[in-house]
Amino acid sequence: MPKNIDIQVPSLNGKLALVTGASDGIGFHITARLARAGAEVIMPVRNREKGEKAAERILGSNPSAKLELRDLDLSSLASVTALTDELVAEGRPINILINNAGVMTPPERRATSDGFELQFGTNHLGHFSLTTGLLPLLKEGKAHVTTQISVAANQGAVNWDDINWERGYSNMGSYSSSKIATGLLSMHLHRLSEANGWGIQSNLSHPGVSPTNLLSAQPGMGRTSDTTEVKVIRVLSRIGIAGTPQSATLPAVLAATSPDAKAATSTVRRAPATSAEAPPSRSSTRESRVKRMRVACGSCPSSSSPSTPPANLASWSEPSLPTSSAAAARRCRRKTLA
């Protein structure tokens, strides 16, 4: 049987949090846990009906939960821009941002509405655009920004020469590439925060292995039945070898709320054991080995990428910070990662 594992979460009364992927799986449980600690949680969802049902479930066990549904499709930069512009216009500081949502290994190559390969476009570029668009609110809220990483970041590499996987698609290769990129984003955000005095703490969390819908049947993504992997994970979870969606919540909650959580590092739980420090991930070792990596975007003459990319994090500098992902997209250009 799975072991019950828990952590202490400080009072989050008066805090505003935003969790992507909040209507299902790990994101749902993260949202419920933050709300239980007193935070007001924004739930940006792609499917409004599914989001409403998720909110009702949380309110059923916690009637005092403060939840707010918003519309967001991370595979659409226009949708990300609409949300970030809306929130920036409202002006409420954000104290916690958990970049949790993602897609994993569609059987065949698919593209976002902007023409990017689906996994890289959703997992990395969508969160990239969201984070840059919310930057003024994150700075004002001295936010903790926690990004979910994957063991897939310890293998493969960012496919710089064919970032959209147009010359040969590997579903796991693309997933790995997207997760390495999110790791680089998280660490670079914290470096920039320290250098510019933004007060943002950015770190990574790893949920371990648990039976979520990430590998389940998703006809809209071309997967008509559950994968063998998720079937095995469900069995392992039932006998206590793999984690549960509830236990997989804990690393992100710890990383986003604990005053002891370190920035620009990873928090890993090897289910069902207690939390343990992670070994250096490929996203950190690769960064030290390849300091001169350049980020290709669609506005670069030598790139075959679509023409409307999100912000280039390496271009962030005071005083002309992007205040929306649309503005950031216009400023995107080839840069060298510091």
Side-chain angles (χ1 to χ4, degrees), residues 243-263:
T244 65
Q246 291 85 349
S247 67
T249 296
L250 303 181
V253 173
L254 178 67
T257 65
S258 172
D260 298 323
K262 295 181 179 179

Side-chain angles (χ1 to χ4, degrees), residues 204-326:
L204 298 166
S205 64
H206 191 300
V209 178
S210 66
T212 67
N213 288 333
L214 201 59
L215 291 170
S216 299
Q218 296 187 35
M221 202 173 68
R223 185 186 296 139
T224 57
S225 60
D226 292 348
T227 63
T228 300
E229 291 87 345
V230 78
K231 293 177 182 178
V232 171
I233 291 169
R234 286 170 185 158
V235 173
L236 295 177
S237 178
R238 284 197 295 270
I239 62 177
I241 295 176
T244 65
Q246 291 85 349
S247 67
T249 296
L250 303 181
V253 173
L254 178 67
T257 65
S258 172
D260 298 323
K262 295 181 179 179
T265 60
S266 56
T267 304
V268 178
R269 192 193 69 77
R270 288 178 176 82
T274 56
S275 297
E277 184 176 351
S281 69
R282 181 68 58 89
S283 57
S284 61
T285 57
R286 182 169 299 277
E287 184 186 39
S288 65
R289 289 165 43 209
V290 196
K291 290 185 177 180
R292 301 296 293 177
M293 282 182 177
R294 291 180 299 180
V295 179
C297 72
S299 61
C300 303
S302 61
S303 172
S304 60
S305 302
S307 59
T308 311
N312 184 343
L313 189 61
S315 69
W316 286 6
S317 60
E318 299 283 12
S320 55
L321 292 171
T323 56
S324 71
S325 47

Side-chain angles (χ1 to χ4, degrees), residues 45-53 68-71:
V45 297
R46 185 168 55 89
N47 184 320
R48 176 64 72 136
E49 181 180 358
K50 185 177 178 181
E52 289 173 349
K53 290 180 179 179
E68 183 179 327
L69 287 176
R70 298 291 180 111
D71 295 313

